[in-house]
Amino acid sequence: MGRGGEAAQSPLRARVRAEVDASRALRRRAEDRARAQRGYTATVDRRARAQRARAVNAWPSAHGLVAHADTLRYEDVLALVLEAATALYGGCRSVSLTSIDQLSGDQCSYSTVASTGESGAVDAAQYRLDEGPCIDAAEMDLVASVRADDLASVEGARFWPRFSEAAGMLGVRSSLSISVPWSAFRVGLQADQHAVGAINFYGSEAHAFDRSEVQAAMLGAWVGSILSGREPAEVYEGTPA
């Protein structure tokens, strides 16, 4: 190529080099922003976890309850959970704790380890029929709430057709079941005890638990913490049913 051709190529090379340099600079700025965003996200996450831990640990103290139960027997812990549940939903006089046999193999075995009112009979109907809000809640491995606003409604019958009929015969119109993470990783595998898988509340009126999501998440996280001796479990915000 002659000198004229080289001279014509020089401005083109310069423009290409300038565009490459600009692209590299843009990529560096994007990487810097991404690192900064990751740092900000990590900071927010740490603060959120710390705030949640403070809230969960402060909740029992505000209700005159023990914050943790490291020195209590398993039966004492169950009594403490039932006391806390009753205190939180004072207007509900029917509360129970559904436990899962950790050594029952692939097929879960449910039982009621503590109850008030007619809740034990309501639980038994769900175990027998293998359907109902406490069964759905106990099968979860995260903190969540399963709420039945009106078991006598078409929607209630659609979710749990046999249990809805049984609940009506027992005088139960609405329910709230809070799942407590119960995996062996969280609670340990012990032959002499079962793991609580759900806390159940039953009401004789429809829509007895309309605004309970936050309370349910707090209670479930706290129960999972004192039963396992670990940090409060992750909270799933929402109601599957």
Side-chain angles (χ1 to χ4, degrees), residues 7 14 20 25 58 62 69 73 96 99 138 144 148 156 162 165 171 190 199 209 216 222 232:
V20 169
R73 297 174 304 166
S96 69
S99 74
R162 293 175 297 170
E165 182 179 355
Q190 302 180 40
I199 309 168
F209 310 101
W222 174 69

Side-chain angles (χ1 to χ4, degrees), residues 63-107:
H63 289 78
L65 303 170
V66 181
H68 57 82
D70 295 339
T71 61
L72 299 181
R73 297 174 304 166
Y74 184 67
E75 294 77 11
D76 297 327
V77 176
L78 296 180
L80 177 63
V81 171
L82 193 62
E83 177 189 354
T86 304
L88 186 59
Y89 295 97
C92 179
R93 301 187 182 279
S94 183
V95 185
S96 69
L97 306 179
T98 292
S99 74
I100 301 174
D101 187 348
Q102 301 178 59
L103 302 177
S104 61
D106 296 334
Q107 184 65 34

Side-chain angles (χ1 to χ4, degrees), residues 7 18 30 32 35 51 57 68 72 81 103-104 107 132 139 154 173 208 223 228:
D32 291 341
R35 281 193 293 269
Q51 182 177 2
N57 292 328
H68 57 82
L72 299 181
V81 171
L103 302 177
S104 61
Q107 184 65 34
E139 290 180 348
V154 174
R173 187 76 179 270
V223 172
S228 64

